[in-house]
Amino acid sequence: RTANEADSLEQAGKLALRAVCELTGWPAGHLCVPDPADPTVFVTSGVWVTRDGDDFETLRRVTAATRFPPGVGIVGMVVKTGAPAWMADALHDPNFVRARDLTGDLGIASAIGLPVPGRAGVTAVLEFFSRRHMPLDPELLRVMGTIGDELGRVADRVQARREVEAGAHRLEQIIETSAEAFVAS
């Protein structure tokens, strides 16, 4: 309900991440969004929520430098399939690209990716991370998936508002141009 009152996907995402982390005990949540330069590739939004004062600094740094094309990484898997993904042992999953070429420890064991569906497909991906190995919990994944669906409605509403504002601006310009042309003739 609170997310539905948000003015942006990022604001709604942060509220949803915080609620999921609190209710599930997963200590970190993150929002990925399409890259403005190439909307087929997803990147960090910079929106993170962590619990217990843990900042997950290495994971944040690696994520900031990672791009997720469709099918690549947990984010890319979610974008490609439009379905939630659960990695019970993320660091040993060959598709967890953030662990590749890393000499240090990301400090996580399990990861979840949830799609935020919109009119045009997946508009964002919610990620959650745990330091412990978490076996797949289909019921939890199903319930968490409904949060992504709700955020999709927020994303659609925000996009519709932008389209209405852009249309109003175009109409205003047409009226101004028409008035100037009428006065000039």
Side-chain angles (χ1 to χ4, degrees):
R1 192 171 347 142
T2 304
N4 281 326
E5 297 170 4
D7 291 329
S8 69
L9 178 60
E10 289 78 7
Q11 183 183 21
K14 189 166 195 161
L15 294 168
L17 292 168
R18 183 173 292 122
V20 169
C21 287
E22 267 181 39
L23 295 172
T24 64
W26 284 65
H30 173 246
L31 178 68
C32 277
V33 295
D35 184 341
D38 180 359
T40 66
V41 174
F42 278 59
V43 296
T44 183
S45 67
V47 175
W48 285 87
V49 169
T50 59
R51 295 180 55 225
D52 306 325
D54 193 345
D55 65 2
F56 287 79
E57 181 56 39
T58 303
L59 178 62
R60 285 179 187 240
R61 184 175 34 80
V62 171
T63 300
T66 305
R67 298 172 52 78
F68 303 98
V72 176
I74 192 167
V75 173
M77 288 170 38
V78 169
V79 170
K80 183 176 180 177
T81 65
W86 188 299
M87 291 182 171
D89 188 2
L91 296 181
H92 294 102
D93 190 304
N95 204 18
F96 194 73
V97 296
R98 283 173 271 198
R100 291 184 194 159
D101 306 322
L102 182 67
T103 56
D105 181 14
L106 282 177
I108 65 158
S110 295
I112 299 173
L114 303 172
V116 176
R119 292 180 298 188
V122 176
T123 61
V125 175
L126 296 171
E127 296 185 285
F128 298 93
F129 303 96
S130 176
R131 292 196 183 282
R132 298 179 320 176
H133 286 92
M134 304 293 282
L136 175 62
D137 182 340
E139 182 60 19
L140 178 60
L141 196 59
R142 185 191 67 72
V143 170
M144 290 172 71
T146 63
I147 293 168
D149 293 342
E150 288 299 318
L151 283 178
R153 289 183 188 86
V154 171
D156 284 346
R157 181 178 46 83
V158 168
Q159 182 61 32
R161 187 181 68 228
R162 286 183 186 145
E163 290 168 3
V164 166
E165 289 170 356
H169 180 70
R170 280 193 304 277
L171 181 59
E172 188 177 293
Q173 288 177 324
I174 290 169
I175 291 171
E176 283 180 21
T177 303
S178 298
E180 289 172 9
F182 180 73
V183 170
S185 60

